Amino acid sequence: MHPSPTRRWLGALLLALAGLMPARASAQQTTYTIIGTVVDAATRSPIADATVQLRTGAQGSVPRTVTDAAGRYTLRAPLAAGTYTIEATQLGRSAATRQITLGASAAVQVEPLLLSSGVLQLEEVVVTGTGAPVERREVGNTVSSVSGEEIARAPAATSIDQALQGRIAGAQISESSGQPGGGVSIRLRGTNTILGNAEPLIVIDGVIVDNNNEALIGLGANATRSNTALTNRLSDIPPDDIERVEVLKGAAAAALYGSRANSGVIQIFTRRGRSGTPQIRFSTEMQASRTPGFLDLNMEPLIGPADVAADASLRPRLGQPVERYDIQDRIFQTGYGTSNQLSVSGGTTTGTSYYLSGNWNEEDGIVRSTGYRRYGGRARVSQRLSNWLEVGVNGSYLRTRTNLVPEGEQTQGILTSVVFTPTYFNPAAIDSVYGRYAYSPVIGTNVLDVIENWKAQNSVTRFLGNVQATATPLRNLTLTYLAGVDDGREEAAYLQPFRATSVAFTGSLQAPVRSVRRFNNDFTAALVSPLRPGVELNSVAGFRYTDDRTNTIRAGASSLLPGATLANGPVQTASQTLVQLRTMGGYIQERLSLADRLFLTAGVNMEASSAFGADQRWQAFPRVSASYVVDEQPGFSEGLLGSVFSGLRLRAAYGQTGGQPPSEYLNQVTYTNVAYGGLSGLRPPTLAPSPDLKPERQREYEFGADASFLGDRLAAELTYYDKRTSDLVLSVPLATTSGFATQFRNVGELTNRGVEASFSSANVQRENFRWNTRLLLAHNRNRIERLNQRSDTITFEYLNAVVEGQPLGVFLGRVYPRDANGNIIYSAAGTPVGARDTVFNASGGVQSVSIRRRVLGDPNPDLTASLSNNFTIRGVEVGVLFDGRFGNDVANFTRRSADYFGSSPNAGVEARGDTIVGTFVRNNERNLLYEEFIEDGSFVKLREISLGFRFDQPWVRRFGASDMGLRVAARNLYTWTDYSGIDPEVNVFAASTVARGVDFSTTPIPRTLVVGLDFNF
């Protein structure tokens, strides 16, 4: 019997690894204990969470450690006597080094390491998907990092993705709705798929986690839309538990994550304990949120055509006085909230470390009856069992409950009801017959009834954890095993009570439940092989297995009794779907270090997925990169380059990743259950199976340079990337003789090309005054290169389209007819009409008339930018962050509906007789003229502003605390924009892949004021 290809591949991998393994060092070694502190260079205050490591040159490196809250560190390692370099690093600071000599004494005390503010952190340690940490200067691709301190400082950010806004070049992070509990979409270097999920892969402490955006119930967009949930699961993770976040934006960085990484990877690392006395920290925040604006409504005190169109009985009163009602003050409220975190961390000298935390968050939304609650706890414990083996366990449990309201496409939506209903109607009026709020004359639903009596709730119970073992059987060999699980249950309930929408409505309740379990199993071996002086080989090999299971049960009932809140009505429905996805693969990577300044990396990931066709099951994803630290070249500082640059690095990378198909079972025949003659049956599908289906493959080239000037006080990081995603999965029509109607095939292609730039400066660095600035710029150009046929145009939702030669999701729709000078041509009655193209036959007769459509705009920005300034003035910390987008368009469907149904000020223009009746109200032609509603959506937001101060006076210590922090901050305080709506950032289709930039009665993102305290004990 011949061994399988998989076994042959793994065998060859183990042999190669064994061949690279060096013999045990023969020199006599002593286990040294190295003790010291890391402090701020200017203030001499201790620095917590700084990474300390020992550089040992050609002899490899010893394990790293991290400083505790007092800035202390203890490093233990078996070493030969000699001279070594100890180094301390931290995000946002320049590295500090000191030479130490190890001799007869096993205990070594090191002078304090002084860290100063830095703008180019090439010594920072990052992880690039291999499980093996490496210094940033050694990798040839960009890895953006954000410290946990920055994330925790982000005011009123209830989720990690909110806290990342404006902090990562090339990341477009949007809050799609102002309802509490999430609703954030992330795009890294553009969108790389058409039918797949464009959100990045999320990895927390090595665990691939669920970040599902599929709506269990349609509360914003209709339920049939994909990726349109008003909340997202990343909001379940409390920001205060985060130690740092690393973002792998392209295939060159994320290749080792294989077929899940086409949209990039966000790696989140949570806090851990440090050796030393127990450190107790408590933080609390109180916040108040308000809407940034209100809808402009028709307050003209005359009965107009809009009112008559809604209620024909008003026709005799046309032009007569009427009272108008604006009840937005009964819809919006000041939403108060509190966020609290308590943590205990520490460790022993015998190798035990622990981190325990609990958090509770309560937040009322800016729309009445909405709110968000989160309660949870985390425990992380590790134990060194010997000088070569360490084990750890990390787990968190949480529960969230979100109270939402319908909006957007839902005709029962809160703002939708306001937009659809003329303002002569008083929603606060009581119907004397039925003893309830009066029904809207247009849609029936009363907005106040929805707020007070309807129920739209989403509850999540979730456990996230892992177990890990790290062994160093040889000084240069590290073996790591990790098993992780993300197990969650999401329950939704949407109750429309008895007589909610009309007298005849008997009530309905939807109560779906989705259970998601994601399991991953990872083994990694990292080997450092000194080949000769100045030449070192770092080898990493690994194996990964993942198993995802999603079980969705949908229950519902109608014809409910008055007051009923359970799905037990006489008309009941139920269904169930079960989806599973498994992947398995291995990877190997080699990094060659030459003279500690030139680093060459090559690797490949071999992966199989159950979603691929049988003949395409195994796929290879290679990567190569180079990094050249020019300033380490001998004589650099004395040469011409040294006179200009204080630091300089050149880098280049190439990589490939894959994307999973839009459905897990496209490679199989799936049947539909039907009832026939009272018996169960199966109906064959019209969708043909795709046995040759393979991943959507992305290849990326990346080139860049990192430079610092003026003694590392000014730094610039520049990157150019070229991404091409081929084998896009699209639906292709089939001949009817095949027995099927369509089939999914790998036929499409798109590109993303762009430039990212980061400029950082330490403007002033004095003991009593510091000022740091950072400017991030990114430009991305997306283009559809190929569809199934050149003439294909795929339209998503209303007007977002996929067209060859255009960016993904451009607005496509009807246009005005215009004369030779570009002036709009109106109908004979003087009202707007859509342009039409007429084709005449040979005899001069009309052969056909078609609606004229063209590309109207692009929701993708030409430029994203952010500017942050941080000041420290005699201990007072001030931070300001501006976040902006430029060159993007927004489809203002709120204005479209308000004009059509007569709730906008334009209805008042018609009521006064200042324009032709039918110009705005109930004009079906204008309502479909999407050209009219495309607006410039460029904006700059004052995303964050904060003022903080720390107290360590004796009166603080009377409470048992070592110090206390006080902070006042605000989020989304002001927006500069020409957009006529309330908020240009929102999107009714949430995290939809293609449908972007549509504002349709969506809750605006609130302005939030925060006051916070934190204590260290």
Side-chain angles (χ1 to χ4, degrees):
M1 182 178 66
H2 297 286
S4 68
T6 303
R7 293 181 60 186
R8 288 198 301 268
W9 182 83
L10 290 174
L13 178 62
L14 292 174
L15 286 173
L17 187 61
L20 291 172
M21 189 177 296
R24 286 182 178 269
S26 58
Q28 186 173 358
Q29 295 183 341
T30 302
T31 299
Y32 289 93
T33 300
I34 303 168
I35 301 172
T37 58
V38 179
V39 300
D40 185 276
T43 64
R44 293 303 193 271
S45 57
I47 295 176
D49 297 327
T51 300
V52 180
Q53 65 177 346
L54 203 65
R55 288 187 174 277
T56 58
Q59 298 302 313
S61 59
V62 297
R64 300 174 175 87
T65 189
V66 179
T67 58
D68 62 16
R72 299 182 296 254
Y73 66 86
T74 301
L75 198 70
R76 294 181 179 84
L79 295 166
T83 301
Y84 299 87
T85 299
I86 194 166
E87 180 183 64
T89 59
Q90 190 184 51
L91 267 175
R93 298 177 183 268
S94 297
T97 60
R98 188 179 296 279
Q99 281 197 335
I100 61 173
T101 301
L102 304 181
S105 176
V108 180
Q109 181 72 43
V110 181
E111 291 293 317
L113 292 163
L114 310 181
L115 287 183
S116 58
S117 296
V119 292
L120 188 65
Q121 295 94 41
L122 295 183
E123 294 83 7
E124 176 196 343
V125 175
V126 297
V127 177
T128 59
T130 64
V134 63
E135 290 186 4
R136 183 187 298 277
R137 70 194 192 110
E138 299 180 25
V139 298
N141 49 263
T142 55
V143 179
S144 297
S145 300
V146 181
S147 68
E149 182 183 357
E150 280 189 86
I151 292 172
R153 266 202 319 256
T158 57
S159 65
I160 299 168
D161 37 17
Q162 285 180 331
L164 293 177
Q165 286 183 306
R167 290 183 164 86
I168 301 170
Q172 183 180 337
I173 304 176
S174 307
E175 296 183 60
S176 54
S177 171
Q179 293 208 48
V184 177
S185 173
I186 303 176
R187 291 291 185 272
L188 301 178
R189 292 182 175 174
T191 302
N192 302 288
T193 184
I194 296 176
L195 299 182
N197 187 356
E199 300 294 299
L201 181 71
I202 307 296
V203 182
I204 301 179
D205 292 327
V207 181
I208 299 174
V209 303
D210 173 44
N211 191 33
N212 200 312
N213 289 294
E214 293 292 340
L216 275 175
I217 296 173
L219 290 175
N222 289 330
T224 54
R225 319 291 197 194
S226 60
N227 296 314
T228 57
L230 291 182
T231 62
N232 64 318
R233 299 281 55 83
L234 196 54
S235 64
D236 298 337
I237 312 301
D240 283 342
D241 271 341
I242 305 306
E243 182 177 273
R244 74 183 190 279
V245 174
E246 294 175 3
V247 181
L248 313 179
K249 290 176 281 191
L256 293 181
Y257 279 107
S259 63
R260 293 173 176 258
N262 257 8
S263 298
V265 180
I266 295 180
Q267 300 180 132
I268 300 170
F269 302 87
T270 61
R271 298 188 185 274
R272 62 189 69 200
R274 319 295 183 205
S275 61
T277 57
Q279 305 293 320
I280 302 174
R281 175 180 171 82
F282 174 71
S283 63
T284 182
E285 286 185 350
M286 297 187 65
Q287 68 179 50
S289 300
R290 291 282 293 174
T291 177
F294 298 88
L295 296 172
D296 291 329
L297 299 178
N298 172 26
M299 302 307 293
E300 184 65 33
L302 298 173
I303 293 287
D307 308 313
V308 174
D311 186 351
S313 66
L314 296 175
R315 185 172 297 279
R317 295 174 54 194
L318 188 65
Q320 297 180 13
V322 68
E323 184 177 359
R324 299 284 178 186
Y325 299 93
D326 181 355
I327 62 158
Q328 291 182 80
D329 60 339
R330 295 189 62 174
I331 295 175
F332 292 107
Q333 65 177 1
T334 299
Y336 296 101
T338 179
S339 177
N340 306 276
Q341 172 98 359
L342 175 65
S343 65
V344 181
S345 63
T348 68
T349 57
T350 58
T352 302
S353 66
Y354 58 88
Y355 176 87
L356 308 173
S357 73
N359 64 86
W360 58 103
N361 177 287
E362 298 191 6
E363 172 191 347
D364 291 333
I366 60 172
V367 173
R368 296 180 189 274
S369 81
T370 65
Y372 177 71
R373 308 289 184 268
R374 180 180 65 211
Y375 311 90
R378 174 179 293 273
R380 183 168 189 168
V381 181
S382 64
Q383 176 65 55
R384 180 167 288 279
L385 301 179
S386 68
N387 61 359
W388 64 272
L389 179 62
E390 182 177 356
V391 296
V393 60
N394 181 10
S396 64
Y397 175 82
L398 62 92
R399 298 194 65 177
T400 68
R401 185 178 73 249
T402 310
N403 291 319
L404 303 164
V405 291
E407 63 178 25
E409 283 190 301
Q410 308 300 310
T411 54
Q412 305 89 1
I414 297 296
L415 295 182
T416 319
S417 298
V418 173
V419 167
F420 280 25
T421 305
T423 52
Y424 79 86
F425 173 73
N426 181 12
I430 301 298
D431 187 317
S432 59
V433 177
Y434 298 102
R436 48 153 292 139
Y437 287 118
Y439 292 106
S440 164
V442 178
I443 59 174
T445 305
N446 185 296
V447 61
L448 298 181
D449 181 57
V450 174
I451 289 175
E452 296 180 15
N453 300 314
W454 293 33
K455 175 183 177 183
Q457 192 174 92
N458 195 74
S459 301
V460 174
T461 303
R462 189 173 187 183
F463 173 80
L464 175 67
N466 67 65
V467 294
Q468 182 172 332
T470 302
T472 53
L474 300 176
R475 182 166 51 85
N476 291 343
L477 176 64
T478 302
L479 306 176
T480 303
Y481 171 76
L482 180 142
V485 65
D486 180 10
D487 193 290
R489 176 184 173 93
E490 181 180 1
E491 304 176 43
Y494 187 29
L495 172 65
Q496 296 175 310
F498 180 74
R499 287 181 174 168
T501 61
S502 68
V503 174
F505 183 69
T506 57
S508 71
L509 173 65
Q510 301 175 58
V513 177
R514 177 166 55 208
S515 299
V516 179
R517 186 200 63 211
R518 288 195 166 188
F519 172 77
N520 65 287
N521 204 11
D522 292 43
F523 174 78
T524 304
L527 178 68
V528 180
S529 304
L531 302 181
R532 62 172 181 262
V535 181
E536 184 176 271
L537 187 66
N538 288 265
S539 306
V540 178
F543 172 84
R544 177 179 292 128
Y545 171 79
T546 70
D547 185 348
D548 300 352
R549 184 179 188 273
T550 302
N551 184 18
T552 305
I553 299 175
R554 297 183 178 275
S558 57
S559 298
L560 304 179
L561 292 174
T565 59
L566 299 176
N568 57 2
V571 181
Q572 299 182 14
T573 60
S575 65
Q576 181 178 11
T577 59
L578 179 63
V579 177
Q580 288 185 284
L581 173 69
R582 294 188 178 96
T583 67
M584 180 178 69
Y587 52 84
I588 185 169
Q589 176 178 282
E590 300 284 359
R591 175 172 293 112
L592 181 65
S593 171
L594 301 174
D596 202 32
R597 57 179 176 268
L598 177 61
F599 305 93
L600 305 175
T601 303
V604 64
N605 180 19
M606 289 289 297
E607 186 175 282
S609 169
S610 61
F612 303 157
D615 296 334
Q616 301 288 340
R617 191 75 72 195
W618 284 93
Q619 299 288 325
F621 304 98
R623 62 169 294 193
V624 293
S625 70
S627 173
Y628 179 34
V629 186
V630 182
D631 59 86
E632 294 285 346
Q633 189 72 26
F636 173 84
S637 58
E638 292 80 18
L640 177 61
L641 289 177
S643 64
V644 178
F645 303 99
S646 51
L648 178 63
R649 179 173 76 118
L650 304 177
R651 48 185 166 79
Y654 168 84
Q656 294 184 10
T657 56
Q660 295 289 329
S663 174
E664 291 79 1
Y665 300 113
L666 297 180
N667 57 357
Q668 304 175 30
V669 178
T670 55
Y671 292 85
T672 303
N673 292 316
V674 295
Y676 183 77
L679 300 175
S680 296
L682 294 175
R683 184 177 64 199
T686 59
L687 176 65
S690 304
D692 296 323
L693 199 66
K694 54 188 176 183
E696 299 181 334
R697 182 173 294 271
Q698 179 189 129
R699 70 100 182 106
E700 180 187 52
Y701 295 99
E702 180 183 306
F703 305 95
D706 307 325
S708 60
F709 312 84
L710 304 176
D712 286 343
R713 293 185 61 181
L714 175 65
E717 300 176 39
L718 304 174
T719 302
Y720 169 79
Y721 60 86
D722 183 328
K723 297 198 298 183
R724 180 176 293 270
T725 307
S726 56
D727 297 326
L728 292 174
V729 178
L730 298 173
S731 178
V732 176
L734 300 179
T736 55
T737 54
S738 67
F740 298 98
T742 57
Q743 183 184 46
F744 282 94
R745 294 179 181 173
N746 300 98
V747 295
E749 190 172 291
L750 63 80
T751 56
N752 284 279
R753 297 184 177 94
V755 178
E756 297 167 353
S758 171
F759 302 96
S760 305
S761 62
N763 305 316
V764 180
Q765 296 296 308
R766 298 176 182 171
E767 183 175 352
N768 292 323
F769 179 56
R770 298 185 193 178
W771 173 22
N772 295 323
T773 298
R774 193 177 190 205
L775 173 65
L776 302 179
L777 302 170
H779 164 73
N780 181 78
R781 180 61 178 174
N782 175 280
R783 190 175 190 271
I784 300 296
E785 303 292 345
R786 182 165 57 88
L787 299 174
N788 182 45
Q789 295 183 19
R790 185 172 181 81
S791 59
D792 284 353
T793 294
I794 310 171
T795 302
F796 289 78
E797 320 322 344
Y798 296 104
L799 74 168
N800 293 98
V802 180
V803 184
E804 274 197 21
Q806 295 288 339
L808 182 72
V810 292
F811 296 136
L812 181 71
R814 296 188 185 186
V815 297
Y816 283 108
R818 297 179 184 273
D819 61 22
N821 296 320
N823 301 311
I824 295 176
I825 301 174
Y826 294 94
S827 70
T831 58
V833 293
R836 288 166 170 79
D837 294 316
T838 304
V839 177
F840 297 93
N841 55 31
S843 60
V846 175
Q847 179 175 318
S848 63
V849 178
S850 60
I851 301 294
R852 185 184 304 166
R853 299 195 307 164
R854 65 172 176 84
V855 173
L856 307 172
D858 183 3
N860 303 292
D862 295 326
L863 177 72
T864 59
S866 67
L867 175 66
S868 63
N869 281 279
N870 293 283
F871 306 88
T872 303
I873 308 169
R874 295 186 178 274
V876 179
E877 297 182 348
V878 180
V880 182
L881 173 63
F882 294 95
D883 187 18
R885 288 176 210 156
F886 307 91
N888 60 296
D889 297 307
V890 173
N892 191 342
F893 272 35
T894 304
R895 177 166 65 87
R896 169 179 176 254
S897 296
D899 282 352
Y900 182 81
F901 288 102
S903 63
S904 76
N906 283 331
V909 175
E910 288 192 14
R912 292 195 305 268
D914 292 344
T915 189
I916 298 171
V917 173
T919 298
F920 303 106
V921 176
R922 303 298 173 118
N923 184 327
N924 294 325
E925 284 281 326
R926 182 178 183 271
N927 194 48
L928 296 176
L929 273 169
Y930 291 162
E931 178 187 5
E932 168 66 32
F933 307 107
I934 305 302
E935 301 184 25
D936 179 13
S938 303
F939 67 84
V940 174
K941 287 196 174 188
L942 179 52
R943 189 70 76 182
E944 298 175 9
I945 184 169
S946 62
L947 173 68
F949 189 80
R950 298 211 68 79
F951 303 90
D952 58 0
Q953 287 83 354
W955 64 268
V956 175
R957 290 190 282 274
R958 292 196 193 109
F959 298 98
S962 59
D963 64 286
M964 180 190 79
L966 170 65
R967 188 171 66 123
V968 179
R971 185 171 189 82
N972 297 316
L973 194 59
Y974 192 79
T975 302
W976 292 267
T977 183
D978 290 332
Y979 178 61
S980 67
I982 300 177
D983 194 335
E985 188 176 355
V986 298
N987 179 33
V988 68
F989 300 114
S992 172
T993 299
V994 178
R996 316 281 291 174
V998 181
D999 176 12
F1000 187 2
S1001 303
T1002 307
T1003 303
I1005 299 166
R1007 296 171 177 168
T1008 305
L1009 178 67
V1010 177
V1011 178
L1013 290 172
D1014 67 84
F1015 301 85
N1016 289 312
F1017 298 90

